[in-house]
Amino acid sequence: MTPIRPPTTHDITSTGVLPEGRRVGLDGRRVPILRGRIHQAAVIPAMLAAATLTITAPRPAGKAAFAVFGVSVAAMLAASAFYHCHARSASTKLQARRLDHAMIFVAIAGTQTAYWLLAAPATVAAPMIALGWIAAGFGIRHKFRHLRLSTSTGSWLYAALGWMSVAMVPFLVDAGADVLLLVAAGGLVYSVGAAFLVARSVDPWPRVFGYHEVWHLLVVVGVATHGAGIVVLTHGR
């Protein structure tokens, strides 16, 4: 059986060509074996779950919510998997990294769109959805213009877009405590994961499952938690 090897996409090189076998990440450390594999494994299940829930949703708003949520989340997971596991040359890796960071904005805006569609009247939902996607577009533009291989920029924009969800709290309260709890729990999971990523404070098995993998795992947990909230909101009303 061929052993699983760490992806080489995080190698630092000045030649623009990533040498096979050099497994040093952007943080100067050896790339763990599972780098990118968690998101890679989650793409197909996320797509299948979203498709099933879209088809079985009892009303049009629910179908639209699951479709937007599913596509946006699957796009984020796929972009992450491609960047971490499949990008090879330095130029491809740069564009893949930009796409990876940009798709986080898509996932946030898509999640907010799903909740606005289900929890608020159209007169409120429509302008808030538009505002969220405009903000996401600004973030995507920023990432593609300024993100480099060796540096990151504009991380505060994720938090700014995410905190726009506070505006829907009154509507979530009306929807029920269970929905509000799931939304808050998902946001907390994302926030804790981001804090761990920045601090690199939780690094359980550096050669296999490091601090970045902790972040990726918590992203999947956050996606599942917010997806559960959409299920409750769709079928509980």
Side-chain angles (χ1 to χ4, degrees):
M1 181 180 293
T2 303
I4 298 176
R5 295 184 177 181
T8 60
T9 57
H10 282 244
D11 299 349
I12 299 174
T13 175
S14 60
T15 63
V17 178
L18 301 178
E20 187 69 27
R22 188 178 180 186
R23 306 183 185 96
V24 178
L26 297 175
D27 55 7
R29 302 167 59 178
R30 183 174 178 176
V31 175
I33 290 174
L34 293 181
R35 179 63 52 85
R37 304 301 183 187
I38 295 172
H39 283 180
Q40 185 179 49
V43 173
I44 299 301
M47 293 175 64
L48 291 175
T52 301
L53 291 168
T54 299
I55 293 171
T56 59
R59 55 199 180 98
K63 294 182 183 297
F66 280 121
V68 173
F69 177 74
V71 169
S72 61
V73 165
M76 175 187 67
L77 296 172
S80 175
F82 176 74
Y83 167 53
H84 291 292
C85 300
H86 302 292
R88 298 301 178 190
S89 69
S91 59
T92 300
K93 191 173 84 168
L94 174 59
Q95 295 306 317
R97 187 171 190 239
R98 289 170 172 169
L99 183 65
D100 174 35
H101 285 231
M103 286 300 103
I104 298 174
F105 290 109
V106 172
I108 297 173
T111 301
Q112 291 178 348
T113 296
Y115 278 96
W116 279 120
L117 286 172
L118 294 171
T123 53
V124 177
M128 293 305 299
I129 290 171
L131 181 62
W133 282 104
I134 290 171
F138 177 82
I140 292 170
R141 179 176 179 271
H142 180 83
K143 288 294 182 179
F144 271 94
R145 292 190 65 177
H146 300 290
L147 188 67
R148 300 290 182 265
L149 277 178
S150 58
T151 59
S152 187
T153 179
S155 296
W156 64 272
L157 292 170
Y158 298 131
L161 180 57
W163 274 100
M164 286 177 60
S165 300
V166 172
M168 69 175 65
V169 168
F171 302 99
L172 295 177
V173 170
D174 291 340
D178 47 357
V179 175
L180 181 60
L181 181 61
L182 286 167
V183 172
L188 179 62
V189 168
Y190 281 126
S191 299
V192 170
F196 285 166
L197 177 65
V198 172
R200 303 176 185 176
S201 56
V202 180
D203 198 16
W205 196 358
R207 291 196 174 188
V208 177
F209 187 91
Y211 67 88
H212 206 106
E213 288 61 57
V214 172
W215 159 240
H216 281 188
L217 179 61
L218 290 177
V219 166
V220 173
V221 173
V223 166
T225 304
H226 281 159
I230 298 173
V231 170
V232 173
L233 195 54
T234 301
H235 293 274
R237 296 180 66 181

